[in-house]
Amino acid sequence: MARPIWTGTISFGLLNIPVKLMSGERRVDLHFRMLDSRNKAPIRYERVNEETGEEVPWKEIVKAFEYDKGSYVVLESSDIAAAAPDNNETVDIDAFVDAASIGSEYFEKPYVLEPGKKAEKGYVLLREVLEKTGKVGIGRVVIRTREYLAAVAPRGDALILLILRYAQELIDPDDYKLPVGGLAKWKISAREVEMAQQLIDSMSSPWKPESYKDDFRDRLHKVIQQRVKAKKVVRGKQAEEAKLPENAATNVIDFADLLKRSLSKKGAAAPAKKAASKKAPAKKAAKRTRAKKRA
């Protein structure tokens, strides 16, 4: 069961609709580890001080803004907290705009808004009115530690929260070399236009997103499965074999392995003491035997 990122409200005018912010996407990427090609050992990452070359522990790391080459403004946690907005569990809708007026380049990431307890009526009211008017609500929302611009839009039975890019995040297409002018300037004939239009009409179909698959991922997954079946795999050195320090920073943390190693060390230490205590009396007995023989 998916857990909400936060539980709060959609707020516009005097109306507040309790909602839960749920993830609206699923990551299906294949994750790769980087290995040293020479011995197939995993590569680990370190936070290294550029001057001393020593690894820096997390507790000693601070955030800073480089306002000039080599010059920084250090920001404390309190500075960042003070800049964060207070309404971190509210989607504050400032305005309603035509959905068609927002360019596709502004949409970045989807979330699903699930109604809270006894909030179904307000949820359905907003959803149906947005659908009927062709509008979306534009407002701001805080997710984790950052404030985003967002649109609340209807999608079937759901209200979707779509994270939007700010205008300052987009590059103006006019910054690039683009062909200016229409058909006449580029000497495109009416016949060419007609044929292109016929081609587009012949290839037109309803939008069915489920019919598009990540073929590259599927093919790559098949290659991996075939290599495993053919036993074309490599065995990298385990953490103990590679003699990594116990607090080594890696790009994958296996807490289960760390716990096992900790328990095995404790278990090995206890029998060692017992064995040592048993050896001591044995040595004394051997000395007494030798002394009797000499006598």
Side-chain angles (χ1 to χ4, degrees):
M1 183 69 179
R3 299 183 64 181
I5 295 166
W6 57 249
T7 300
T9 59
I10 301 175
S11 175
F12 60 99
L14 298 176
L15 185 61
N16 291 287
I17 304 171
V19 292
K20 300 174 185 176
L21 186 69
M22 313 294 289
S23 178
E25 63 178 352
R26 181 181 293 109
R27 296 290 185 181
V28 295
D29 297 339
L30 292 173
H31 297 283
F32 297 99
R33 285 293 306 268
M34 289 195 292
L35 306 179
D36 189 322
S37 64
R38 296 166 294 183
N39 64 355
K40 304 303 182 292
I43 305 297
R44 64 189 178 97
Y45 299 93
E46 296 180 343
R47 304 170 299 279
V48 177
N49 184 308
E50 288 187 357
E51 292 184 8
T52 64
E54 296 177 353
E55 187 172 356
V56 183
W58 277 113
K59 65 179 181 179
E60 300 297 340
I61 294 177
V62 296
K63 293 183 178 180
F65 176 77
E66 188 174 17
Y67 67 90
D68 198 6
K69 187 68 175 178
S71 299
Y72 306 91
V73 173
V74 176
L75 294 174
E76 304 292 340
S77 299
S78 56
D79 297 323
I80 298 173
D86 297 327
N87 55 338
N88 59 352
E89 294 180 348
T90 305
V91 183
D92 279 324
I93 295 178
D94 301 320
F96 292 93
V97 305
D98 290 332
S101 67
I102 304 176
S104 58
E105 69 273 17
Y106 284 92
F107 296 104
E108 185 172 4
K109 187 174 183 178
Y111 290 90
V112 177
L113 293 167
E114 183 179 279
K117 291 183 178 179
K118 299 181 180 179
E120 290 85 355
K121 185 175 180 179
Y123 187 95
V124 172
L125 172 63
L126 179 58
R127 183 190 70 197
E128 295 302 312
V129 172
L130 290 177
E131 183 69 41
K132 184 177 180 179
T133 59
K135 303 281 188 181
V136 295
I138 302 296
R140 297 172 188 271
V141 61
V142 177
I143 300 177
R144 296 186 174 92
T145 59
R146 182 183 166 188
E147 185 178 62
Y148 295 89
L149 184 65
V152 176
R155 288 289 185 277
D157 291 332
L159 282 173
I160 304 293
L161 185 135
L162 299 159
I163 298 300
L164 301 176
R165 296 183 178 93
Y166 288 100
Q168 68 204 50
E169 297 179 88
L170 296 172
I171 297 174
D172 190 334
D174 291 338
D175 290 348
Y176 299 104
K177 294 180 180 179
L178 305 174
V180 180
L183 300 173
K185 179 178 179 179
W186 296 96
K187 297 179 180 179
I188 300 173
S189 67
R191 177 59 179 160
E192 289 171 322
V193 173
E194 183 182 355
M195 287 191 296
Q197 194 167 347
Q198 288 176 353
L199 177 60
I200 290 173
D201 289 341
S202 68
M203 296 177 66
S204 296
S205 65
W207 166 235
K208 296 179 180 179
E210 65 277 3
S211 65
Y212 296 90
K213 307 293 183 183
D214 187 350
D215 295 330
F216 171 75
R217 178 185 178 277
D218 291 342
R219 288 194 295 268
L220 196 57
H221 195 262
K222 286 179 181 178
V223 171
I224 293 171
Q225 288 181 319
Q226 289 169 358
R227 294 280 175 87
V228 172
K229 287 181 180 179
K231 296 184 179 180
K232 292 183 178 180
V233 296
V234 295
R235 298 289 181 185
K237 289 185 177 180
Q238 297 298 319
E240 288 185 348
E241 293 177 13
K243 296 182 180 178
L244 292 177
E246 292 183 8
N247 59 347
T250 66
N251 59 342
V252 174
I253 300 174
D254 188 348
F255 289 106
D257 181 59
L258 291 175
L259 289 169
K260 285 179 182 178
R261 284 161 54 191
S262 299
L263 290 170
S264 65
K265 284 186 178 180
K266 287 184 178 180
K273 290 181 180 178
K274 291 181 180 178
S277 62
K278 288 180 180 179
K279 287 178 182 177
K283 287 182 179 179
K284 289 180 180 178
K287 286 181 180 178
R288 285 198 296 269
T289 303
R290 286 196 295 270
K292 288 181 180 178
K293 287 181 177 179
R294 290 195 193 102

